[in-house]
Amino acid sequence: MGLIAEFDIDCKALPLAGMAARVPEATLTLNLQFNHGNQPLFIVTVQNGSRSEIETAFTEAYDVEEWTLIGQAGETRRYQALPALSLEGQLGEHLDDLEGLEALATADAIIERIDVVPDGWRQTGWFADRDAFSTFSSFWQRNADFRLHRLTQDGESEPAGDGLTDRQHEALRTAYERGYFDIPRQASLEDVAAELDISPSSVSERLRRAQTQLIEETVATTWPPLPD
């Protein structure tokens, strides 16, 4: 039986990590389109954040040659970006084993989601078996900082919210108990941050990612597709 894993790869040289650091209030989800020659196109779904700041970050990103807005629905926008660097140019100075990275493309795995964060990528993937997952995780443990958040068998049913990390669960529970979601609010972001002993920006990021995950698990599949 296969496995589903959610994990962080902390490597600031990964594509668009620098852009995520510039717009921390935005949520960036990356899809790689491998049917465009040697360099895959970046399809980036952006939620929240200032449009002007996001598009300035695209323009000034060292690893983006050019970009185009391809669709918008409410506060969600989708961009297509042409990478400015080859795989070697992007990661060659940061990874010792580029051949091993290229070999991961043939692993028995499907990376379903890539969230771009300032420190690298958070990924959710399907793996054929434990050996396939071990090959993937071992590579990143050798070459970067790899942190596993969730590992389950693909046949296990999970109620909504099981895709949240422990830190996201804690942030949501604390915000709820302190009255952050009340109308009117009974607690500020700073109050929740003090309770968790982390910065307000970290609380904001955890709450946004937790809410995005819950939306995707419950209602996002019913939304109409974005226009071309």
Side-chain angles (χ1 to χ4, degrees):
M1 183 174 291
L3 299 171
I4 302 172
E6 181 184 4
F7 47 87
D8 285 348
I9 300 172
D10 285 357
C11 177
K12 294 182 179 180
L14 286 168
L16 302 183
M19 177 179 169
R22 290 198 55 177
V23 286
E25 70 280 5
T27 300
L28 280 63
T29 304
L30 173 64
N31 183 268
L32 301 175
Q33 299 290 314
F34 287 98
N35 57 343
H36 292 273
N38 295 328
Q39 293 178 269
L41 285 178
F42 301 153
I43 304 299
V44 188
T45 301
V46 182
Q47 295 175 303
N48 304 315
S50 162
R51 176 173 174 176
S52 62
E53 291 180 0
I54 290 164
E55 295 183 353
T56 297
F58 266 119
T59 300
E60 296 181 355
Y62 75 95
D63 47 6
V64 172
E65 179 70 27
E66 58 185 51
W67 59 268
T68 305
L69 176 66
I70 59 174
Q72 179 170 352
E75 293 300 314
T76 299
R77 292 178 290 276
R78 284 183 180 167
Y79 295 87
Q80 176 177 286
L82 178 68
L85 303 171
S86 65
L87 182 65
E88 182 176 359
Q90 182 93 40
L91 298 173
E93 295 184 1
H94 303 271
L95 300 181
D96 295 329
D97 186 11
L98 283 179
E99 290 184 0
L101 178 61
E102 293 173 350
L104 291 184
T106 62
D108 294 329
I110 298 173
I111 300 303
E112 186 174 60
R113 180 184 174 98
I114 301 172
D115 287 326
V116 185
V117 296
D119 289 330
W121 286 355
R122 169 164 291 183
Q123 295 187 333
T124 301
W126 295 64
F127 297 84
D129 50 37
R130 190 165 292 276
D131 286 342
F133 175 71
S134 178
T135 298
F136 192 94
S137 60
S138 295
F139 172 85
W140 286 111
Q141 286 169 359
R142 294 192 307 270
N143 290 277
D145 184 6
F146 179 91
R147 296 195 306 277
L148 179 65
H149 293 288
R150 180 170 63 108
L151 185 64
T152 57
Q153 292 185 335
D154 61 11
E156 294 178 358
S157 61
E158 297 177 293
D162 272 13
L164 302 179
T165 67
D166 291 342
R167 289 181 296 178
Q168 290 169 350
H169 270 294
E170 181 185 32
L172 277 177
R173 184 181 66 251
T174 301
Y176 177 79
E177 291 175 349
R178 291 297 302 270
Y180 178 76
F181 297 114
D182 291 354
I183 302 175
R185 281 182 173 164
Q186 303 302 309
S188 67
L189 200 62
E190 288 74 17
D191 294 330
V192 179
E195 181 78 14
L196 295 171
D197 196 25
I198 58 177
S199 69
S201 62
S202 294
V203 172
S204 177
E205 179 182 345
R206 290 184 192 180
L207 291 177
R208 287 199 316 273
R209 294 190 183 283
Q211 291 166 357
T212 297
Q213 179 68 28
L214 289 173
I215 289 170
E216 289 181 346
E217 291 181 4
T218 55
V219 301
T221 55
T222 67
W223 291 356
L226 289 171
D228 293 332

